[in-house]
Amino acid sequence: MSLLSKDIDSAFEGAGSKAGLEIWCIENLRLVRIPKSSHGKFYAGNAYVVLNTILPKNGPPWHDVHYWLGNDTKEVDLAMASDKALELDAALGSCTVQYKELQGLETQKFLSYFKPCIIPLEGAYSSQEAHLNGDTYKVSLLTCKGDHVVHIKEVPFSRSSLNHDDVFILDTASKVFLFSGCNSTIQERAKGLEVVQYIKENKHGGKCEVATIEDGKFVGDSDVGEFWSLFGGFAPIPRDSPSSFQKQSDTPPVKLSWITIQGKLCQTGTDSLHKKMLETDKCYLLDCGAEVFVWMGRHSSISERKISISAAEGFLRDQNRSTGTHLTFLTEGLESSIFRSYFDDWPQKVEPKLYEEGRGKVAAIFKQQGYDVKELPEEDCEPFINCRGTLKVWRVNGDELSLLPVPEQTKLFSGDCYLVQFTYAGNDRDENLFFAWLGCSSVMEDRKATISHMNAIADSTKGNPVLAQVVGDNEPVQFFSIIQKLIIFKGGMSKGYKKFIAENGLTDETYGENKTALFRVQGTSPHNMQAIQLDPLLQVSSSLNSSYCYILQTETFIFTWIGNLSSTQDHDLLDRMLELIDPTWQPTSVREGTEPDTFWNALGGKAEYPREKEMKGYTEDPHLFVVNVSEDEFKVKEIYNFSQDDLTTEDVLVLDCHREIYVWIGCHSNIRSKQQALTLGLKFLEMDILVEGLSLETPIFIVTEGHEPPFFTHFFEWDSSKANMHGNSFERKLALLKGKPQNLEVSRRNSWKAYSRETTPDSSRSQSVSSNGQGRSVSPASMVSGSNSMSSSNHLFSRPAPIARKLFSGSSLHGSPAAEQRSPSQSASYIQVDGSGDCVNFLIYPYERLKVMSNDPVAGINVTKREAYLSDEEFQGKFGMTKGAFYELPKWRQNKLKMSLNLF
């Protein structure tokens, strides 16, 4: 539904044609466009209309319309703002989401447009006159609340306004003070510093002093004394001082009501809601307590929509709802993920765009008539890393690992699990990427073992590798690009898979030369191609597709089947795959529609199958979420318009790219291990925050701060210098504000684990040099090798590595001075351990002080070798073996035993 041009305000001309923000202010009952230089300046006496347009790489534009109402806005301007927002929606084809924003209670999405904050100005906007400050600078006290976006509120300049929970900014003519309540978080304090920087640049022209004041820090510091003198001297802040931001009350049950043309609400459902309740020619109100939605059907009239907006605002007034209740207006087909989450089983079907659907059908018609039609190329997904590195692949068989020879490492079985290590050249070091590839038919026992093996081997490698869990048939582009020429066979070799087949009386589908097998060939180039064996028991209609080429193997014949909608590139990949699977094959090539009876008989008979071009739905831009985990709850909050600065070191964040997710672990987060991070990723998939139908088999990548791979950083405007900073968020922001970035560099060798008191200790690191013989560049890989299991600890380091070779040297041998002062019973002698390739002396400490969660931990030890500090007697009692026997075990077995004793 759209309005004629004569019905559209001339101020909206060209609106939404370009990406970014456009802002209009209501001035003297007319709409005035705000110049970009004034974006972010809002006057309390005005109402504004804000349009944010996103032009994604794929898919249609996305428009969000916000109308912002200042505290001192006139009633007539309030009404006009909502009407103009609805008018703008109609001008854009009724395809926007509209939000009502109240000063001081704005939505997180709205505030994300104006980082670090918006500070409303007193008075009213005038497009004719410039606003000048008076001769006297007005001292103001502001309170800041928020960790990723900040709500700013001016409070009375009085000691009674201060409290222990919030962050405050005192802005004076010559100096800006940041006061941090003792109960405020590091993230809130860091955001407060961003606001201080904003005030310094925008109100002081960059020329003023900055001081930080800690709650509870007494006189003795000149800045502290100056701060309290402005309040008439120091006095304690009452402990029960309420925060200026009150918590929302408990929310009532979710209710859905139909809005009649008279503006009355008729309840139609509660709690258990379904999409079929929403009729396309009506408008509805969904009351969720802290947020209220108005859903407008596509066939509802403009007058019905205006009535619905008025009815919703009247509803909030009549219910005496909090002024912080957010009001959102949605058009059918543009429902937000939050709205959809209140309905059971919201349909996941994505309607293709008309031009995509039409393009595919036209191409199919012309091709079937014999014309060579060139279609627009599909967008290739880039791996973003150097794919000419060193590849190692192990097959998992319970507790056993078998390193596959080079010719076999690109041939996987769907009933087995594999551990893949890829080492490639980074900017200034070699990087490791690990995949736990879990066959789609593999058993749970093997899947768990694969994850355990991956963690153990990854911990033994240098640096902080990226870990990924991948389930067969859901591989990410990075996996295909690394393996390059992949063949996936049906069945499996592991004991667990064979046992499962036998116990359930199932037919063993494991591939064999004398069995019938159908392979689908796919890929984008000779360096990224796959042959996937399909289920032989399925009907043809579930196997063949005109968009692909296939290889059919029987006991007596080899057929290649070429779909009518396949390309010349597909045909080239088909020939190459034939050579890889079996170079002795002499196939019979058949085109779709010319198949002999023997071909159909091998597939169980002729049947219908998809004959239209297989279209991939466009992928939306990624979403970033911060994850808060406590003992009894798992909370997720979206960060809108995210940037690299939102990757705060105290947080764990999830980047949802729809086809894969990344769990990013900050150095100062409370995540104890990458296994825990993987569990969080699985929990995120289970919750399906965006109601997008995420599968539990979606690939999960684990990324640590300071070790982000290019295929993660390309989602941001990445500044590598920010990734090398140390300290918590507040310390980093303060150093930048004080102009001391030279002290922020930190060695990239440092592990994220070393930053957190609660994280698992970093593991020993090793190097070796190997090549896979496939023309890949030689690059250091892990020390793990062998045919049936991981190698023992012999020759862990094949070349000198000053940091890794000598785990202890010099003063670090004796630990910290505090450790040296322990009583003889606590550190009586030294022992020698030959488990790391070097004879190294170790002090002796009791088990209770060495375990990870000790109440009296030993300082200055190598946390990767906690067990080595045990006496021989206590070691024998805990591990049931001597130290010599322990260090002869494979590394992964060592790590498992250490984990069970809380020493890892």
Side-chain angles (χ1 to χ4, degrees):
M1 180 187 69
S2 63
L3 297 178
L4 299 176
S5 58
K6 66 179 181 180
D7 298 319
I8 300 173
D9 195 306
S10 59
F12 287 142
E13 184 176 353
S17 59
K18 295 181 180 180
L21 282 178
E22 297 172 80
I23 304 177
W24 297 265
C25 177
I26 296 176
E27 180 189 15
N28 298 324
L29 295 180
R30 66 187 183 93
L31 210 58
V32 177
R33 184 182 284 269
I34 301 295
K36 287 189 178 296
S37 59
S38 296
H39 283 192
K41 296 179 181 178
F42 292 88
Y43 287 86
N46 291 104
Y48 294 79
V49 176
V50 178
L51 169 65
N52 183 51
T53 300
I54 298 175
L55 301 178
K57 293 180 181 179
N58 300 297
W62 184 269
H63 305 286
D64 286 308
V65 176
H66 306 254
Y67 57 100
W68 184 91
L69 309 175
N71 289 338
D72 302 327
T73 307
K74 299 176 183 177
E75 286 292 334
V76 64
D77 290 344
L78 296 178
M80 186 175 178
S82 63
D83 287 345
K84 288 299 179 182
L86 190 58
E87 183 179 319
L88 179 56
D89 169 67
L92 294 171
S94 296
C95 59
T96 74
V97 178
Q98 301 164 61
Y99 304 84
K100 180 181 179 181
E101 308 285 354
L102 299 178
Q103 179 181 334
L105 300 167
E106 297 88 354
T107 62
Q108 302 242 334
K109 175 174 280 191
F110 182 80
L111 291 175
S112 71
Y113 305 144
F114 308 101
K115 292 180 179 179
C117 65
I118 59 173
I119 303 178
L121 305 172
E122 295 297 322
Y125 173 79
S126 172
S127 57
Q128 303 299 323
E129 301 177 2
H131 289 261
L132 301 176
N133 289 326
D135 295 334
T136 303
Y137 191 88
K138 180 188 175 184
V139 176
S140 58
L141 182 63
L142 307 172
T143 181
C144 308
K145 191 70 173 178
D147 47 11
H148 286 276
V149 295
V150 185
H151 282 92
I152 301 295
K153 182 178 180 181
E154 185 170 359
V155 294
F157 178 30
S158 167
R159 181 189 291 107
S160 61
S161 295
L162 301 175
N163 62 61
H164 298 290
D165 299 322
D166 295 328
V167 173
F168 294 84
I169 294 173
L170 179 60
D171 180 17
T172 70
S174 60
K175 185 179 285 189
V176 180
F177 298 86
L178 177 78
F179 175 85
S180 302
C182 59
N183 297 329
S184 62
T185 67
I186 293 295
Q187 297 99 313
E188 288 173 332
R189 299 178 188 188
K191 279 297 174 182
L193 283 177
E194 289 186 16
V195 178
V196 169
Q197 179 72 29
Y198 173 82
I199 292 174
K200 178 181 178 180
E201 294 176 355
N202 290 273
K203 296 184 69 175
H204 297 270
K207 297 178 181 179
C208 73
E209 294 183 49
V210 172
T212 57
I213 310 298
E214 294 181 26
D215 184 10
K217 189 173 183 181
F218 297 102
V219 181
D221 184 296
S222 59
D223 288 331
V224 175
E226 183 180 355
F227 175 80
W228 286 113
S229 68
L230 294 171
F231 291 91
F234 173 79
I237 301 173
R239 283 291 170 185
D240 57 351
S241 179
S243 170
S244 58
F245 288 85
Q246 301 296 332
K247 293 184 179 180
Q248 294 286 345
S249 58
D250 293 336
T251 58
V254 176
K255 297 178 182 178
L256 179 68
S257 301
W258 164 48
I259 305 175
T260 69
I261 57 176
Q262 291 81 25
K264 295 182 179 180
L265 301 182
C266 299
Q267 186 171 323
T268 58
T270 180
D271 291 336
S272 182
L273 304 176
H274 302 275
K275 185 179 182 297
K276 62 183 179 181
M277 295 178 175
L278 304 174
E279 298 182 30
T280 190
D281 59 346
K282 295 180 180 178
C283 297
Y284 295 83
L285 184 142
L286 182 67
D287 179 12
C288 307
E291 186 161 17
V292 172
F293 296 91
V294 173
W295 183 91
M296 300 176 286
R298 282 211 169 268
H299 295 124
S300 60
S301 66
I302 190 71
S303 61
E304 288 176 310
R305 298 185 181 201
K306 286 185 177 181
I307 292 171
S308 298
I309 293 174
S310 299
E313 293 176 340
F315 169 77
L316 294 180
R317 286 193 303 270
D318 296 341
Q319 293 283 317
N320 292 320
R321 287 296 176 85
S322 165
T323 54
T325 303
H326 291 137
L327 188 55
T328 304
F329 305 96
L330 303 164
T331 301
E332 180 182 1
L334 297 168
E335 296 86 359
S336 65
S337 57
I338 297 176
F339 179 84
R340 288 183 277 129
S341 68
Y342 290 109
F343 291 78
D344 298 332
D345 304 321
W346 189 278
Q348 299 296 333
K349 183 179 179 181
V350 177
E351 296 293 338
K353 291 182 294 184
L354 294 178
Y355 74 85
E356 287 181 337
E357 188 180 38
R359 187 184 74 188
K361 288 185 177 180
V362 170
I365 293 172
F366 275 92
K367 280 194 172 186
Q368 288 177 348
Q369 293 181 357
Y371 293 96
D372 184 16
V373 178
K374 292 184 179 181
E375 298 183 36
L376 294 175
E378 293 185 3
E379 181 181 0
D380 287 336
C381 295
E382 298 181 45
F384 291 100
I385 59 173
N386 179 6
C387 292
R388 295 182 60 80
T390 302
L391 181 69
K392 284 187 175 183
V393 182
W394 292 267
R395 178 184 287 118
V396 177
N397 190 4
D399 288 340
E400 298 178 4
L401 281 180
S402 301
L403 181 64
L404 300 183
V406 171
E408 300 298 319
Q409 63 186 9
T410 61
K411 299 177 181 178
L412 311 182
F413 285 82
S414 63
D416 290 336
C417 294
Y418 298 82
L419 178 56
V420 178
Q421 178 187 5
F422 181 67
T423 307
Y424 63 96
N427 292 332
D428 56 357
R429 62 185 176 188
D430 289 314
E431 303 285 0
N432 280 295
L433 172 58
F434 285 90
F435 290 96
W437 188 86
L438 315 177
C440 59
S441 302
S442 59
V443 297
M444 188 57 65
E445 176 188 353
D446 285 343
R447 294 190 176 196
K448 291 180 178 179
T450 305
I451 300 297
S452 177
H453 289 312
M454 179 176 67
N455 287 326
I457 297 180
D459 284 340
S460 67
T461 60
K462 182 179 178 180
N464 258 299
V466 176
L467 307 188
Q469 174 181 295
V470 175
V471 180
D473 294 337
N474 295 274
E475 295 84 357
V477 63
Q478 291 82 12
F479 186 81
F480 287 146
S481 299
I482 287 168
I483 302 295
Q484 297 190 0
K485 302 174 177 65
L486 176 65
I487 306 170
I488 300 180
F489 297 105
K490 297 290 293 183
M493 305 291 188
S494 80
K495 296 176 183 176
Y497 176 78
K498 297 295 186 184
K499 179 181 178 182
F500 178 81
I501 291 296
E503 290 179 348
N504 291 273
L506 302 175
T507 303
D508 192 346
E509 301 174 348
T510 304
Y511 173 79
E513 295 182 357
N514 297 324
K515 293 184 178 180
T516 298
L518 179 66
F519 296 89
R520 183 182 68 240
V521 178
Q522 61 189 37
T524 59
S525 74
H527 300 293
N528 184 338
M529 59 181 187
Q530 305 88 40
I532 314 295
Q533 185 181 351
L534 304 177
D535 194 330
L537 301 179
L538 293 178
Q539 296 293 324
V540 177
S541 57
S542 300
S543 303
L544 296 181
N545 188 300
S546 297
S547 299
Y548 294 99
C549 295
Y550 295 79
I551 299 171
L552 176 61
Q553 167 193 336
T554 69
E555 293 185 18
T556 55
F557 297 101
I558 301 295
F559 289 101
T560 58
W561 187 86
I562 300 174
N564 286 338
L565 300 181
S566 60
S567 65
T568 54
Q569 176 180 267
D570 295 330
H571 307 161
D572 177 57
L573 298 184
L574 176 64
D575 294 337
R576 292 174 183 269
M577 267 302 173
L578 277 169
E579 183 74 15
L580 283 175
I581 296 177
D582 192 333
T584 65
W585 279 353
Q586 298 294 324
T588 299
S589 180
V590 296
R591 273 200 168 270
E592 182 180 1
T594 65
E595 304 86 353
D597 291 340
T598 51
F599 176 87
W600 292 117
N601 291 338
L603 290 175
K606 190 173 183 178
E608 288 299 316
Y609 55 86
R611 298 175 186 269
E612 296 183 355
K613 180 68 174 178
E614 188 170 88
M615 304 293 297
K616 289 184 179 180
Y618 64 84
T619 303
E620 293 183 11
D621 288 345
H623 295 254
L624 184 66
F625 298 86
V626 62
V627 178
N628 293 312
V629 184
S630 62
E631 294 183 0
D632 56 349
E633 59 183 353
F634 178 92
K635 291 184 178 180
V636 176
K637 181 176 68 176
E638 182 168 4
I639 300 173
Y640 300 99
N641 299 300
F642 63 83
S643 66
Q644 182 184 356
D645 290 335
D646 288 307
L647 300 176
T648 46
T649 185
E650 293 83 14
D651 288 329
V652 176
L653 298 108
V654 174
L655 184 68
D656 180 1
C657 300
H658 310 287
R659 294 177 182 172
E660 64 215 26
I661 68 169
Y662 297 84
V663 179
W664 182 90
I665 309 168
C667 293
H668 289 76
S669 69
N670 61 359
I671 295 302
R672 294 178 174 81
S673 68
K674 290 188 176 180
Q675 174 61 60
Q676 186 180 357
L678 181 59
T679 301
L680 293 182
L682 291 169
K683 180 67 175 177
F684 180 88
L685 293 177
E686 181 182 337
M687 292 181 69
D688 194 13
I689 306 299
L690 295 176
V691 197
E692 56 187 327
L694 277 179
S695 167
L696 294 179
E697 298 182 349
T698 300
I700 302 174
F701 289 86
I702 309 300
V703 178
T704 54
E705 181 182 6
H707 298 265
E708 296 88 352
F711 54 84
F712 174 83
T713 60
H714 88 277
F715 292 109
F716 304 80
E717 291 184 5
W718 197 260
D719 181 351
S720 58
S721 66
K722 292 181 179 180
N724 293 333
M725 298 171 68
H726 70 77
N728 62 38
S729 298
F730 180 80
E731 293 165 342
R732 297 181 188 186
K733 298 289 185 186
L734 185 59
L736 289 173
L737 185 61
K738 300 243 182 199
K740 299 178 181 178
Q742 67 274 11
N743 297 326
L744 300 178
E745 291 294 325
V746 66
S747 172
R748 291 180 67 88
R749 292 177 185 271
N750 287 350
S751 166
W752 65 281
K753 300 170 187 175
Y755 287 107
S756 176
R757 296 177 182 176
E758 298 182 14
T759 52
T760 303
D762 193 9
S763 299
S764 59
R765 299 179 172 92
S766 60
Q767 291 182 328
S768 65
V769 180
S770 62
S771 175
N772 65 1
Q774 289 187 334
R776 300 175 185 264
S777 63
V778 178
S779 178
S782 108
M783 76 293 182
V784 187
S785 61
S787 57
N788 296 319
S789 64
M790 296 170 57
S791 67
S792 65
S793 56
N794 297 329
H795 308 296
L796 294 187
F797 308 104
S798 60
R799 64 180 182 185
I803 292 180
R805 191 174 63 83
K806 290 292 183 183
L807 296 175
F808 300 91
S809 61
S811 61
S812 64
L813 170 65
H814 303 286
S816 65
E820 294 185 17
Q821 296 172 8
R822 298 288 179 183
S823 64
S825 63
Q826 292 174 310
S827 54
S829 62
Y830 299 102
I831 60 171
Q832 289 191 330
V833 177
D834 194 22
S836 61
D838 296 293
C839 290
V840 182
N841 291 324
F842 291 78
L843 287 164
I844 295 177
Y845 293 102
Y847 168 76
E848 290 300 324
R849 296 194 61 213
L850 290 171
K851 64 183 183 178
V852 174
M853 304 301 290
S854 172
N855 293 325
D856 182 24
V858 181
I861 64 171
N862 184 333
V863 294
T864 71
K865 289 285 183 182
R866 293 177 185 272
E867 78 289 347
Y869 296 90
L870 291 170
S871 66
D872 290 339
E873 295 76 11
E874 193 165 16
F875 188 101
Q876 178 85 30
K878 295 292 183 182
F879 286 88
M881 66 182 76
T882 65
K883 288 186 177 179
F886 174 80
Y887 287 114
E888 288 298 320
L889 295 174
K891 188 68 177 179
W892 63 269
R893 283 294 304 275
Q894 294 180 26
N895 290 340
K896 270 194 169 183
L897 288 171
K898 287 159 65 174
M899 289 175 67
S900 67
L901 292 170
N902 203 17
L903 291 171
F904 184 83

